[in-house]
Amino acid sequence: MTSISIVAGEPSGDLLASRIIRGLNEKFPNLSTYGIGGENMISEGFKSLYPMSLLTVFGYVDALKRLPSLLSTYKGLKRTLLDNKPDVFIGIDAPDFNLRLEKHLKANGIPSLHFVGPSIWAWRYERIYKIKESVTHMLVLFPFEVENYEKENIPVTYVGHPLASQIPKSIDKIASRQAMGLDLDKNDIILAMLPGSRLSEIKQLSGLFFSTAALIQENYPEIKFLLPVVNDSCKSLITQELRHHNIKNLHLITENSIDPSKPASWAVMQASDCALASSGTATLELALHKKPMVISYKLTPFMKKIMEWKSGQSKPLVPWVGLPNILLREFAVPELLQDDATVQNLLHACLDMIEKIGSADEAQLISKFEQLHNSLSLNTPQIVADVVASYVR
């Protein structure tokens, strides 16, 4: 039996890993996968030894608060893996946890693959030397990452982004609206609101987004807003914040009625014309759905100082923060961050975006997103499985 251990630390990693497990199951008929993961991985036959929620942390403060449980989980899993050596270990993102673990496993003869490279191209390039110590082989999502690892003589493979294969290249927006069962007309202007999936992000951004939505509504009284929520805790926090804002026609979407196997956020993106979104994976998903967007993000002053202290940088090494802009190497969509993330700035950017619906400018942006989609659309599960097979004893 082939034994592969995998650790994913948050929902996006769980979704990525589930696709990889599917490819591994096709490559290795008699396969055992176990470690730490979520529901998507478990649905592919994965055995999670610890709840994935133990690793889902945001920022240094959250990590410090949960340090005892993180350490206990780390020690327990390390002991299990060293006592019962898997053929291969795959760490999915979660670099603070996985790179430490991978270093010990690699030193004990267990090939350690890391999927989703840390953003060394933006913050703390020197982390690449720790990666070289810890990782047998890097699996990266984006083509521009390869050069950095090759330069440091770290085995690396560009595997494409699984989301590019999961999200259709063309979507029927009208049919999506009908499938959602809401009072959505084909001529409605619909703006997706994506303030993040973590409670800390929602606390920081939802008030800003809702204040902006209320002013957009004054300019477009018939506009509708769709906002996906990932769990009851997020829904409760959002509902509480909405009490302070007079927004009509805002729908909270808790499940994907178009395709129940996909996230609720995807249904929202498919039915919308454009979006106001927190910087993160959601911006790439929006680009793959060919949706214009305004990207925003705001750290608390305390978190910003910690990040600057930890990284030794006051800004990224590249001029962009949003994934679509990073991949396109230009400010294809607006980014309003930190002090620039004000209600008035977001309002002007969103109104400009809405006014361009159906224009030549929007068509040009969609064309760029189509090219991006094609460049990221590889058979990721098969490529990863082939790399894993080269290390299986």
Side-chain angles (χ1 to χ4, degrees):
M1 175 178 284
T2 302
S3 171
I4 297 175
S5 181
I6 305 173
V7 170
E10 58 180 45
S12 60
D14 174 45
L15 190 61
L16 291 173
S18 68
R19 314 303 182 205
I20 299 310
I21 292 170
R22 190 174 302 170
L24 292 171
N25 281 326
E26 291 176 3
K27 187 79 173 179
F28 304 99
N30 195 16
L31 176 67
S32 167
T33 56
Y34 64 95
I36 300 177
E39 293 301 319
N40 289 294
M41 295 166 69
I42 292 168
S43 70
E44 298 294 337
F46 179 83
K47 182 180 180 181
S48 190
L49 305 179
Y50 299 87
M52 189 180 70
S53 58
L54 291 172
L55 303 189
T56 307
V57 297
F58 178 69
Y60 307 116
V61 175
D62 194 18
L64 285 171
K65 286 178 181 176
R66 299 170 65 176
L67 190 58
S69 63
L70 283 168
L71 286 173
S72 175
T73 302
Y74 173 81
K75 290 176 182 177
L77 182 63
K78 184 175 79 169
R79 185 165 53 249
T80 298
L81 297 182
L82 291 178
D83 289 346
N84 306 277
K85 291 185 175 182
D87 291 297
V88 173
F89 174 84
I90 306 174
I92 310 286
D93 209 355
D96 290 332
F97 187 94
N98 278 329
L99 288 175
R100 253 183 211 92
L101 184 59
E102 287 157 6
K103 182 177 180 180
H104 286 281
L105 300 180
K106 182 182 176 184
N108 282 271
I110 300 169
S112 297
L113 281 57
H114 192 91
F115 183 38
V116 185
S119 54
I120 55 170
W121 36 268
W123 298 97
R124 296 166 54 206
Y125 179 85
E126 70 277 3
R127 287 179 293 171
I128 201 166
Y129 304 115
K130 180 181 179 182
I131 292 169
K132 188 172 185 176
E133 261 190 321
S134 306
V135 174
T136 308
H137 199 115
M138 283 297 299
L139 306 168
V140 296
L141 298 174
F142 305 122
F144 68 83
E145 296 180 274
V146 171
E147 182 182 357
N148 287 326
Y149 293 103
E150 287 183 339
K151 186 171 64 177
E152 304 294 344
N153 296 313
I154 300 170
V156 60
T157 302
Y158 165 55
V159 301
H161 202 299
L163 290 175
S165 299
Q166 293 299 311
I167 295 173
K169 291 188 177 179
S170 63
I171 293 166
D172 188 332
K173 181 171 65 178
I174 306 306
S176 299
R177 294 182 179 189
Q178 293 170 343
M180 293 187 77
L182 301 171
D183 183 22
L184 304 175
D185 186 82
K186 66 178 182 179
N187 296 318
D188 286 337
I189 298 173
I190 299 178
L191 189 146
M193 304 203 74
L194 304 161
S197 57
R198 299 184 180 99
L199 289 174
S200 53
E201 291 176 317
I202 293 169
K203 286 177 184 176
Q204 189 68 9
L205 292 173
S206 60
L208 177 66
F209 280 23
F210 294 155
S211 294
T212 303
L215 293 177
I216 293 172
Q217 185 179 256
E218 291 181 9
N219 289 266
Y220 292 91
E222 302 305 316
I223 194 169
K224 292 181 170 66
F225 302 98
L226 300 180
L227 196 161
V229 288
V230 297
N231 55 42
D232 289 340
S233 297
C234 292
K235 185 177 182 179
S236 175
L237 183 58
I238 288 167
T239 303
Q240 183 179 348
E241 182 62 40
L242 277 172
R243 295 193 186 107
H244 304 295
H245 304 271
N246 181 25
I247 306 174
K248 299 174 184 177
N249 297 325
L250 189 148
H251 301 276
L252 300 184
I253 309 301
T254 57
E255 61 183 24
N256 189 327
S257 55
I258 301 168
D259 182 350
S261 68
K262 302 293 192 299
S265 58
W266 288 16
V268 167
M269 293 175 192
Q270 288 170 21
S272 299
D273 294 295
C274 53
L276 173 58
S278 162
S279 178
T281 304
T283 62
L284 176 60
E285 292 171 334
L286 282 165
L288 294 174
H289 280 94
K290 322 300 182 301
K291 302 298 178 179
M293 72 195 83
V294 172
I295 299 172
S296 185
Y297 209 78
K298 200 165 190 175
L299 293 169
T300 64
F302 179 60
M303 279 300 301
K304 187 172 184 291
K305 285 182 179 179
I306 289 179
M307 191 171 179
E308 289 176 353
W309 167 75
K310 182 77 174 176
S311 67
Q313 297 173 226
S314 60
K315 60 182 181 180
L317 298 171
V318 293
W320 316 280
V321 168
L323 283 170
N325 290 340
I326 291 168
L327 287 162
L328 292 170
R329 318 307 281 177
E330 62 170 298
F331 283 105
V333 298
E335 295 182 2
L336 295 166
L337 315 170
Q338 291 305 111
D339 293 341
D340 290 330
T342 65
V343 172
Q344 285 301 315
N345 285 347
L346 290 180
L347 173 64
H348 292 145
C350 286
L351 291 179
D352 183 59
M353 173 175 64
I354 292 167
E355 287 163 9
K356 288 178 179 175
I357 292 173
S359 71
D361 286 342
E362 185 190 53
Q364 186 178 29
L365 178 63
I366 290 171
S367 176
K368 291 177 181 179
F369 287 162
E370 288 171 345
Q371 293 171 36
L372 177 61
H373 200 151
N374 289 332
S375 71
L376 296 177
S377 186
L378 304 180
N379 190 339
T380 304
Q382 181 181 320
I383 296 170
V384 174
D386 288 343
V387 174
V388 169
S390 70
Y391 289 101
V392 169
R393 291 192 296 272

